[in-house]
Amino acid sequence: MTTKPANITEQAARFIEDIAYDDLPTEALAIGRRCILDAMGLYVAGADESSVRMLIDDAREQGGREDALLVGAGMAKVPAPLAARVLGTAGHAHDWDDTQVSHDPAHIYGLLTHPTVPPLTAALVTAQRIGNVSGRGLMVAFQAGFEVECKISEWMLPDHYLRGHHSSGTVGTFGACAAASKLLGLHGAQLRHALGMAASFAAGIRCNFGTMTKPLHVGRAAENGVTAALLAARGFTADPSALDGRWGFAQVLAGGFTDSKLEQGFGNTFTIVSPGVSIKPYPSGILTHQSMDAMLKLVTTNDVRPDEVASIVFHAGSNILNPIRYPIAMNHLQAKFSMAALLAMMVVHRRAGRREFTDESILADDMQSMQRRITVQLDPAIEAMGFDLIRSRIELTTHDGRTLVQWADERYRGGPNLPMSDDEVAQKFRDCTDGLLDATRQDTVIATARDVTGLADAGELARCIATDG
């Protein structure tokens, strides 16, 4: 915990002020392009969700200054904060956006953020509001927000998540604020006031996991980060050291920072490079993916048909079982947090993508029947191994009496130790946008994202994913 005075707000502000394109490591740029392409697909897929359509309709009704494109509404434009709310929610609507990595064995996975969507969303809408922002300028702002967001998340005590806060909603606000502030050129007191407002705006609690409000946390983080930066540019004030001290963000919401980590500083090593970021193969919580891959391996290796399954017992620790909390999923949002639904999906469909995560699919007889054959158990032996890795074991019994066992690979596909290839990231984009963008448009977006730092106008990123919904 923090036992000595810290100056995290000042460090964050100086980093945002000083970072330039030439400061970005080559690997950070390469990973950043992958993260941006991944998010482009998620924005398009999310804009087709009923929850996001409601936000689009709400933004249309509110109207206002035409700052930035409203995702899923063709070429319609709305004020930057509103555009950020909708775009950010779309980016997290499927819970398919990338995840921060940590090597701290005490760092519960849920504490880590979905780091790309808040700062990228803020950068995209702010760039459109300003105009004439280059792709390099957008990349710098995105990387600044990504780094600030991840370091705050890494340094905070895990109690933040244990208390019930949703880090992507809370800490994501700082990432969005940093990105917007960088593009607006805030410095000195203005920048510190923007971070102070972000500290008060940050919100999101875990009781809303499995509902429409969970992705709205990320939309609000993007919206609030942009709002904080815009208000600070007008001269609105806040505490200039709001991350620090007895009443600061970290102390109030997490019990403080970890002293031993504070010497890392911002940007000395970029988090996007080390320990890295994972691009998710499935639209569900990242701590379910190893088990989903294990289930898929078990049924494909042994050629087990759904009608052959008598029962499945899933053994895991509380690090999986506590947040993945729905025993039986009754809609696609609950399915993202239901081990029974996720394992059933791999048995019934042998895949888990946008088309499998629909209410119709989850409520189908085959999925409901399979879920009810799955039992989830807390395993004391696995629990005793600790939470540094995600561990689980699946035992499947067939009607003819066979018992098949599969342990999950402790590495996870998409993470730094088993990353998706560039082609796999592009294929994920195509899967996300299948039926929403034609093949030519898909090719255009992939090429634009991969050449983002060569763009004369970063607004092209937003224009190339414009759809009418």
Side-chain angles (χ1 to χ4, degrees):
M1 61 177 293
T2 304
T3 58
K4 58 186 178 182
N7 62 342
I8 305 306
T9 319
E10 180 62 24
Q11 290 183 48
R14 288 179 180 269
F15 171 74
I16 297 165
E17 288 171 335
D18 294 345
I19 186 173
Y21 184 80
D22 289 343
D23 297 324
L24 298 174
T26 300
E27 191 173 359
L29 291 169
I31 298 171
R33 293 184 188 100
R34 285 161 53 88
C35 292
I36 290 171
L37 173 57
D38 187 48
M40 291 296 105
L42 299 174
Y43 287 143
V44 174
D48 195 48
E49 283 287 289
S50 61
S51 57
V52 179
R53 299 310 306 177
M54 294 180 202
L55 296 180
I56 292 170
D57 290 344
D58 178 68
R60 283 180 180 274
E61 287 184 9
Q62 291 192 49
R65 174 178 162 140
E66 296 183 349
D67 286 332
L69 289 171
L70 177 61
V71 69
M75 301 307 291
K77 293 185 176 182
V78 294
L82 267 180
R85 178 199 299 174
V86 181
L87 187 62
T89 305
H92 193 54
H94 287 278
D95 213 326
W96 214 347
D97 43 329
D98 57 25
T99 304
Q100 175 188 0
V101 173
S102 173
H103 294 322
D104 183 349
H107 226 8
I108 297 166
Y109 274 69
L111 176 63
L112 306 176
T113 70
H114 293 270
T116 285
V117 170
L120 180 61
T121 300
L124 279 171
V125 300
T126 304
Q128 292 174 78
R129 176 186 167 106
I130 296 170
N132 298 317
V133 172
S134 69
R136 285 192 171 200
L138 182 133
M139 178 65 84
V140 172
F142 164 61
Q143 295 269 356
F146 191 110
E147 173 70 357
V148 167
E149 178 180 341
C150 287
K151 283 297 198 295
I152 293 172
S153 178
E154 173 69 28
W155 297 344
M156 280 197 311
L157 295 178
D159 196 44
H160 182 70
Y161 184 73
L162 294 175
R163 292 182 187 186
H165 297 291
H166 178 202
S167 304
S168 298
T170 57
V171 185
T173 308
F174 292 101
C177 178
S181 295
K182 183 65 177 178
L183 288 179
L184 290 169
L186 301 188
H187 62 278
Q190 283 186 323
L191 176 53
R192 288 144 184 85
H193 292 155
L195 293 171
M197 277 181 270
S200 276
F201 293 167
I205 53 178
R206 287 166 54 197
C207 72
N208 277 311
F209 282 18
T211 75
M212 292 180 180
T213 298
K214 200 255 189 182
L216 181 58
H217 292 169
V218 177
R220 290 286 285 171
E223 175 186 9
N224 288 336
V226 170
T227 298
L230 291 173
L231 288 175
R234 291 183 180 273
F236 210 92
T237 65
D239 189 306
S241 56
L243 281 163
D244 308 289
R246 179 183 178 188
W247 304 119
F249 175 84
Q251 188 64 42
V252 172
L253 272 68
F257 290 112
T258 302
D259 280 344
S260 60
K261 295 182 179 181
L262 299 183
E263 293 181 359
Q264 293 175 356
F266 294 97
N268 294 328
T269 299
F270 282 80
T271 300
I272 199 170
V273 175
S274 179
V277 60
S278 60
I279 292 179
K280 299 171 79 171
Y282 302 123
S284 60
I286 194 167
L287 42 73
T288 67
H289 293 179
Q290 299 92 325
S291 305
M292 294 169 71
D293 279 342
M295 187 79 259
L296 180 62
K297 181 178 180 179
L298 189 152
V299 296
T300 54
T301 300
N302 296 281
D303 194 23
V304 178
R305 300 188 309 273
D307 61 1
E308 294 180 294
V309 176
S311 65
I312 295 171
V313 180
F314 177 73
H315 300 264
S318 60
N319 55 338
I320 296 178
L321 301 186
N322 285 347
I324 309 304
R325 62 194 181 97
Y326 290 94
I328 301 292
M330 300 304 295
N331 59 53
H332 75 288
L333 293 172
Q334 291 179 1
K336 298 176 185 298
F337 297 91
S338 169
M339 212 66 235
L342 297 171
L343 297 180
M345 202 174 289
M346 305 312 280
V347 177
V348 173
H349 300 295
R350 297 194 178 191
R351 55 170 283 136
R354 183 166 63 89
R355 296 189 182 280
E356 288 69 44
F357 280 89
T358 64
D359 289 351
E360 181 181 18
S361 173
I362 299 303
L363 289 172
D365 290 343
D366 53 0
M367 279 291 295
Q368 288 293 309
S369 173
M370 187 60 66
Q371 286 191 70
R372 285 164 173 78
R373 283 177 259 172
I374 297 174
T375 303
V376 173
Q377 290 186 2
L378 176 67
D379 190 302
I382 293 177
E383 183 84 356
M385 294 180 188
F387 297 158
D388 56 322
L389 297 171
I390 299 299
R391 302 176 175 91
S392 65
R393 183 178 75 258
I394 299 169
E395 296 179 358
L396 184 153
T397 301
T398 63
H399 286 297
D400 63 8
R402 290 179 296 158
T403 297
L404 306 172
V405 178
Q406 181 68 54
W407 278 85
D409 190 330
E410 293 177 348
R411 301 174 302 167
Y412 54 93
R413 190 159 56 93
N417 294 326
L418 195 61
M420 295 170 68
S421 68
D422 287 348
D423 286 344
E424 287 175 324
V425 175
Q427 185 57 51
K428 177 184 171 182
F429 170 84
R430 294 184 191 279
D431 291 343
C432 286
T433 59
D434 183 34
L436 302 173
L437 299 179
D438 61 33
T440 301
R441 286 280 303 280
Q442 289 177 341
D443 290 343
T444 297
V445 179
I446 291 170
T448 302
R450 285 176 169 172
D451 187 39
V452 59
T453 53
L455 295 177
D457 178 7
E460 182 58 29
L461 271 176
R463 291 190 290 272
C464 73
I465 61 168
T467 63
D468 289 326

